[in-house]
Amino acid sequence: AISYALDKMNIPYHYVSRVASENVSFTYKTLSDEDIKNNTIIINCTPIGTFPNISECPAIPYDAITEKHILYDLIYNPEQTKFLSSGKLKGAFTINGLEMLRLQAEKSWQIWNKS
């Protein structure tokens, strides 16, 4: 869903994963400070950091995050994940997944109730 939305907005993106594959541009082990600096929108699409494992976060080089970055976490519980708080400490603009959840619920209601 995220790649679909980014495609619709003509925003180029790369996949980051624990394991290399043909669709993965970077692995967490190969992701560098320079990669972070060159990609200012970072979206966590994983469950890493969700309740009850709130002390976990994706293993990215947070020191390279700046006030030019936007960090979006699809997680909404907790409201402020370690991923988001780590970015906020570096001045990044942060967004959690609560609004996405609300919009999904509204769309589901429309589909099921044909309104």
Side-chain angles (χ1 to χ4, degrees):
I2 299 301
S3 60
Y4 176 83
L6 293 172
D7 285 340
K8 286 293 207 182
M9 294 184 290
N10 294 315
I11 298 173
Y13 57 90
H14 303 280
Y15 289 102
V16 179
S17 181
R18 291 174 290 167
V19 180
S21 72
E22 74 177 73
N23 291 334
V24 172
S25 303
F26 306 100
T27 65
Y28 288 110
K29 289 183 180 183
T30 64
L31 197 60
S32 70
D33 286 357
E34 195 64 27
D35 297 326
I36 294 295
K37 288 176 184 174
N38 291 331
N39 294 279
T40 55
I41 301 173
I42 303 172
I43 304 170
N44 178 30
C45 302
T46 75
I48 299 170
T50 194
F51 183 82
N53 301 317
I54 61 173
S55 63
E56 298 177 8
C57 63
I60 65 172
Y62 290 95
D63 285 340
I65 292 173
T66 69
E67 68 281 347
K68 295 178 183 175
H69 283 85
I70 299 170
L71 272 60
Y72 187 173
D73 201 335
L74 301 186
I75 294 170
Y76 50 87
N77 183 15
E79 183 177 327
Q80 185 76 6
T81 61
K82 185 174 179 184
F83 169 74
L84 294 179
S85 61
S86 296
K88 190 172 267 191
L89 285 173
K90 296 296 188 173
F93 182 80
T94 62
I95 310 162
N96 73 14
L98 190 58
E99 180 68 6
M100 182 194 64
L101 176 67
R102 187 189 66 75
L103 292 169
Q104 287 175 329
E106 285 181 7
K107 187 63 176 175
S108 295
W109 181 262
Q110 291 171 358
I111 290 169
W112 287 100
N113 292 287
K114 311 234 188 271
S115 55

